[in-house]
């Protein structure tokens, strides 16, 4: 169990926003003020077979000056047309908390601290996943 | 314990154009200021300027010639109370290089400010400006303190005092030749400065020695590394003994580990050389990581910062401090790309001043969010994220390139603080390409939503201690 004292103020705020937006969120402090976060039930776009999934990512200690980058989803996630998650920005053969995973790499080169957040980034990532051909 | 104020050159121009609009009258304003408390004293950092409209916000008064209206005081103090800013009223006397409060001014301060301080919960005070002088009194923790000076941060670093400080009649003879360029006053300015150099490697070590030779009064160097044999070609004064070279080159792994663990920290080697260069200066070497919160606090009380590291995180931190604490800075570095087959690409030497006028590293696009995130992860996280396809291969580093970039950066610093640049000189970011012998200024647009340099609500600009720095615990 991670207590808020183990997180920087900005990371704690980022996690509170995630908890407001998504069902359940597990948090493990990384020891430097950041956190490893697993959102247990993130809603997926209709182009994917599941309606919800877990998503894991790291919020670094210097969030929110620094983006959240690298989101992990289950390795067996599929599109409704049977396609697997492959292609630019997707890296198979990963693990998250010992579960087989695919890593989604979506960079935010113009990240704005105070405006962008871990929650808004997660929504953008899921949206991108749904819209990619 | 000193009390100072900092504002940008844009803010000063905006304020003085209002106060000295040409009608010869008194005018008023209020400054909302972030606060920085350090071991050196308190700095008030101008976040927002409220100009008082004549006849509406600045009106005839029974106690003084003119005064801020009760409604204007109430509105601006509410704003400061809500945001945790210090509140300072401003008015002007005639032009000149000397200024002070009148007796009616002081009586009005005594009447108004104790209750206002209690209401706002932050320092409360007043400034009076001449066009080339400024005086101030601030109630701080229940006591009135005089403002030592107002520092203007822009392409030039200027100071406004109540009276022009009298210059030294003599400086040390070792400075005779340089004083011919910038005068005894310039030497005094350097002596009174605290300069922090982040990074004591190839470029940072040379910056430090130049600053020490110039006579900078307090020099603080931050670096987490020890000297290795490969550093001896480019850290001035570093010896084989500092690097424990015999152990380091041993075929016995334990001997190499001992060398890596007990070689002299770079900051100690630099300190030895800096003290030789300037025995009367204060030198402090911090053998640690600038990204730790305790070490990063050093930056907040600096008068100038050099960022001579090769990490995105320290670059980002210096950029944040430069805007959050209004500390001018310069980022410098060399980039020597070499392909796997040994072909040398385009070499870049970069000197990037960081002030509100010169611009912010984030807006200039030289802070990569992707690299920043990768660097911010703990080693085991980096492994998990598989950031291992780009092995940690050292880039070339050559003393002549380091000296070139360090010399340019320190010259810019010297000219900024001693007012040696021409009035119309802009402190643009510069890239020098030594293979082409080509110097290119870099222009970029400031992002109006930038979280560092803009004045929008979420920005860190001039907040001082009002926002936690993005450091590791």
């Amino acid at each position: 169990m991670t207590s808020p004292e183990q997180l920087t103020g900005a990371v704690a705020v980022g996690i509170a926003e995630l908890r407001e937006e998504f069902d359940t969120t597990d948090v493990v402090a990384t020891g430097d003020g950041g956190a490893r976060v697993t959102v247990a039930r993130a809603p997926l776009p209709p182009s994917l077979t599941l309606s919800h999934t877990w998503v894991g990512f790291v919020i670094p200690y210097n969030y929110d000056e620094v983006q959240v980058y690298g989101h992990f989803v289950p390795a067996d996630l599929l599109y409704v047309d049977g396609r697997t998650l492959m292609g630019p920005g997707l890296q198979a053969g990963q693990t998250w908390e010992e579960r087989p995973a695919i890593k989604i790499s979506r960079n935010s080169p113009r990240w704005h601290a105070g405006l962008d957040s871990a929650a808004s980034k997660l929504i953008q990532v899921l949206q991108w996943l749904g819209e990619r051909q | 314990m000193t009390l100072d104020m900092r504002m940008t050159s844009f803010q000063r121009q905006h304020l003085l154009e209002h106060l000295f609009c040409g009608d010869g009258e008194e005018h008023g304003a209020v400054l909302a200021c972030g606060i920085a408390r350090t071991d050196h004293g308190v700095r008030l950092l101008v976040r927002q300027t409220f100009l008082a409209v004549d006849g509406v916000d600045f009106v005839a008064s029974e106690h003084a010639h003119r005064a801020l209206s009760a409604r204007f005081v109430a509105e601006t103090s509410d704003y400061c109370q809500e945001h945790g800013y210090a509140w300072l009223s401003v008015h002007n006397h005639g032009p000149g290089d000397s200024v002070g409060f009148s007796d009616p001014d002081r009586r009005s301060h005594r009447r108004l400010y104790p209750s206002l301080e209690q209401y706002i919960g932050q320092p409360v005070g007043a400034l009076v400006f001449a066009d080339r002088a400024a005086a101030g009194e601030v109630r701080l923790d229940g006591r009135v303190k005089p403002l030592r000076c107002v520092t203007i941060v822009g392409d030039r670093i200027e100071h406004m005092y109540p009276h022009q400080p009298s210059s030294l009649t003599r400086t040390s003879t070792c400075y005779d030749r340089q004083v011919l360029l910038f005068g005894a006053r310039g030497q005094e300015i350097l002596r009174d400065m605290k300069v922090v150099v982040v990074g004591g490697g190839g470029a940072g070590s040379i910056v430090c020695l130049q600053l020490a030779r110039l006579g900078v009064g307090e020099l603080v160097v931050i670096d987490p590394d020890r000297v290795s044999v490969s550093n001896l070609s480019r850290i001035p004064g570093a010896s084989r003994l500092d690097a424990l070279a015999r152990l380091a080159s041993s075929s016995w792994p334990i001997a190499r580990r001992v060398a890596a663990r007990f070689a002299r920290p770079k900051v100690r080697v630099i300190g030895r050389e800096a003290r030789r260069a300037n025995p009367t200066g204060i030198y402090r070497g911090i053998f640690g990581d600038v990204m730790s919160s305790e070490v990063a606090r050093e930056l907040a009380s600096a008068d100038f910062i050099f960022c001579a590291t090769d990490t995105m995180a320290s670059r980002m931190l210096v950029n944040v401090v430069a805007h959050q604490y209004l500390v001018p800075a310069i980022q410098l570095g060399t980039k020597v790309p070499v392909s796997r087959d040994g072909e040398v690409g385009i070499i870049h030497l970069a000197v990037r001043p960081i002030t509100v006028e010169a611009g912010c590293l984030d807006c200039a696009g030289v802070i990569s969010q992707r690299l920043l995130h990768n660097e911010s992860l703990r080693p085991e996280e980096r492994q998990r994220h598989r950031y291992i396809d780009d092995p940690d291969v050292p880039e070339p580093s050559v003393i002549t390139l380091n000296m070139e970039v360090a010399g340019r950066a320190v010259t810019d610093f010297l000219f900024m603080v001693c007012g040696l640049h021409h009035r119309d000189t802009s402190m643009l970011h510069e890239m020098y390409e030594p293979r082409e012998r080509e110097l290119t200024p870099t222009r970029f647009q400031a992002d109006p939503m930038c979280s560092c340099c803009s004045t929008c609500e979420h920005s860190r600009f001039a907040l001082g201690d009002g926002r936690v720095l993005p450091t590791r615990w």
Side-chain angles (χ1 to χ4, degrees), chain B residues 198-218:
Chain B
V198 183
S205 61
I206 295 164
V207 167
C208 290
L209 297 186
Q210 292 183 351
L211 294 172
R213 295 267 166 204
L214 281 171
V216 166
E218 185 177 354

Side-chain angles (χ1 to χ4, degrees), chain B residues 97-100 133-134 160-166:
Chain B
D97 57 11
S98 177
V99 74
M160 297 178 85
Y161 296 94
H163 310 283
Q164 286 305 304
S166 53

Side-chain angles (χ1 to χ4, degrees), chain B residues 3 109-110 113 136-146:
Chain B
L3 175 67
H109 300 169
R110 283 198 292 271
Y113 295 165
E137 281 184 352
V138 179
R139 277 188 72 87
L140 190 67
D141 306 323
R143 298 177 64 180
V144 177
K145 284 187 71 76

Side-chain angles (χ1 to χ4, degrees), chain B residues 17-27 54 58 66 92 95:
Chain B
E17 279 174 2
H18 171 70
L19 296 177
F20 300 98
C21 58
D23 61 3
E25 284 291 335
E26 280 190 16
H27 301 278
D54 292 324
F58 197 60
R66 283 180 179 185
N92 63 295

